[in-house]
Amino acid sequence: MSTEPAGFEQLRDEILRWKERRNAVILAHVYQPPEIQELADYVGDSLGLSQQAAGTDADVIVFCGVHFMAETAAILSPEKVVLLPEPAAGCPMADMVTVSALRDKRREMPGAVVVCYVNSSAEVKAESDICCTSANAVRIVESLGDVEILFVPDRNLAHYVSRFTRGRVVPWDGYCPTHDRLTPEELRRTMAEYPRAEVLVHPECRPEVIEMADFVGSTSAILRRARQSKAREFIVGTEEGILYQLYKQNPGKQFYLASPAMVCPNMKRISLEKVLRSLRDLTPQIRVPEEVRQRALRALEAMLERS
Ligand code: 13P
Ligand code: SF4
């Protein structure tokens, strides 16, 4: 699949020169445009990216993803320069929970453990007991035992993990617009079109969609499943950027997006030009106030210890 835009090689070479000069590492989420994935030192899911950010010995981290991901890197590696090439690349779901609303809810549920999906602001992480990503959410929630859990901000992931715990999970009413867009009717139509395909969906999808799937998992789990499965065709219920890795890792297999609307516009705001500019000018940098960072770090470390 040739997906490289014109001028790719020249831009790439210039980026690589600046990367060396800055002793930088380029991290990219699997929802990024193909040319960004090609350029990155590491392409992965939210958990893998935060582990890379915590472990790198580079001086500069260029984060090709959305704001909360770069912020997570800045929480984990405060001594490093963390660049987000497009500062307006946010996550609408992360914006669906605010600190004041979370504090109000906590007051209503004084004994509850607050589990915070990594798709959230540093301030919200700082108010939470433990973080999770979609790759470890089930394990984290299971490890808490028979307790009351306030799960923020994704109601769909909260609903999914509630199946695996003895505790009571109270979901926040947030959602990912890209995943929540996939309706059971649309998935049914796609399944009718490709009756032999295995159906792989992300837990950010609606509960009714999850019921219809053969496999539910984070982006890394979906990639693993596609590699290991004997099926030759797959319907994919997550953001379209993952198709690039699916095709790269599985020559001869076919992948169909469950809905053409499963595109995250924020993930597509990063471009090669912006990566070059940010490496050259060392801007825009993502910083987290130290007092917030310390508290958010506790929730992230609690997660990483159990991952
Ligand atoms: P994962 O890659 O961790 O599954 O996350 C999905 C996502 O929505 C990131 O924004
Ligand atoms: Fe946020 Fe959804 Fe985009 Fe991920 S895909 S960044 S959860 S809006």
Side-chain angles (χ1 to χ4, degrees):
M1 183 166 70
S2 173
T3 41
E4 293 164 7
F8 172 79
E9 279 177 21
Q10 200 185 332
L11 261 172
R12 183 198 54 199
D13 291 350
E14 217 173 323
I15 290 168
L16 294 180
R17 272 197 296 278
W18 276 101
K19 194 179 80 148
E20 193 155 322
R21 198 176 302 174
R22 298 293 191 206
N23 187 27
V25 65
I26 300 178
L27 306 181
H29 191 267
V30 290
Y31 296 164
Q32 285 290 293
E35 65 276 13
I36 301 287
Q37 296 192 34
E38 271 309 299
L39 179 79
D41 297 296
Y42 176 85
V43 181
D45 69 348
S46 306
L47 178 63
L49 289 166
S50 55
Q51 287 165 332
Q52 290 290 321
T56 180
D57 53 13
D59 297 319
V60 174
I61 298 173
V62 184
F63 221 109
C64 298
V66 293
H67 192 270
F68 77 80
M69 296 179 172
E71 211 177 41
T72 301
I75 295 166
L76 291 167
S77 293
E79 71 293 353
K80 303 201 187 304
V81 171
V82 178
L83 301 169
L84 180 63
E86 170 48 71
C91 169
M93 169 157 66
D95 297 337
M96 290 179 191
V97 54
T98 62
V99 171
S100 63
L102 178 53
R103 282 185 184 157
D104 289 348
K105 191 73 189 169
R106 264 201 112 139
R107 271 193 288 276
E108 280 172 36
M109 300 172 60
V113 177
V114 179
V115 178
C116 158
Y117 192 24
V118 74
N119 301 38
S120 54
S121 68
E123 288 78 8
V124 165
K125 289 184 177 75
E127 295 291 318
S128 303
D129 297 300
I130 186 164
C131 280
C132 71
T133 74
S134 52
N136 59 24
V138 168
R139 199 174 336 136
I140 299 279
V141 163
E142 265 180 337
S143 77
L144 298 173
D146 190 6
V147 291
E148 190 174 46
I149 292 167
L150 174 59
F151 192 100
V152 300
D154 188 1
R155 64 183 182 210
N156 292 337
L157 183 60
H159 188 275
Y160 179 65
V161 297
S162 69
R163 301 169 170 202
F164 302 91
T165 175
R166 285 167 291 136
R168 185 170 84 96
V169 179
V170 176
W172 198 263
D173 197 21
Y175 60 91
C176 163
T178 301
H179 286 84
D180 202 67
R181 202 169 280 151
L182 175 62
T183 60
E185 295 71 33
E186 189 163 20
L187 181 54
R188 209 166 289 123
R189 279 198 296 276
T190 314
M191 288 167 76
E193 206 175 328
Y194 305 108
R196 284 197 302 275
E198 193 173 296
V199 180
L200 317 176
V201 308
H202 195 278
E204 287 177 15
C205 290
R206 299 179 190 190
E208 316 87 87
V209 163
I210 282 177
E211 286 300 328
M212 296 165 70
D214 297 306
F215 179 83
V216 183
S218 65
T219 52
S220 55
I222 288 176
L223 287 167
R224 203 176 318 118
R225 172 68 179 205
R227 286 194 302 272
Q228 290 170 353
S229 171
K230 288 194 168 52
R232 309 302 297 166
E233 292 177 83
F234 301 84
I235 292 168
V236 181
T238 192
E239 210 274 346
E240 66 90 32
I242 199 172
L243 293 177
Y244 183 66
Q245 287 299 323
L246 284 167
Y247 276 114
K248 198 171 162 173
Q249 295 177 16
N250 299 283
K253 294 186 177 178
Q254 285 300 315
F255 299 93
Y256 315 109
L257 205 58
S259 159
M262 296 189 84
V263 177
C264 174
N266 283 286
M267 283 283 180
K268 312 304 181 201
R269 294 177 91 145
I270 308 290
S271 64
L272 293 174
E273 289 79 2
K274 289 177 188 175
V275 171
L276 175 59
R277 205 179 312 138
S278 98
L279 263 172
R280 194 188 52 209
D281 303 344
L282 286 182
T283 181
Q285 291 187 24
I286 302 300
R287 292 199 185 92
V288 179
E290 188 53 21
E291 183 272 331
V292 175
R293 191 190 74 80
Q294 291 280 350
R295 290 187 294 126
L297 183 64
R298 280 206 296 271
L300 278 169
E301 282 181 344
M303 168 186 89
L304 290 172
E305 278 160 18
R306 293 171 205 223
S307 299

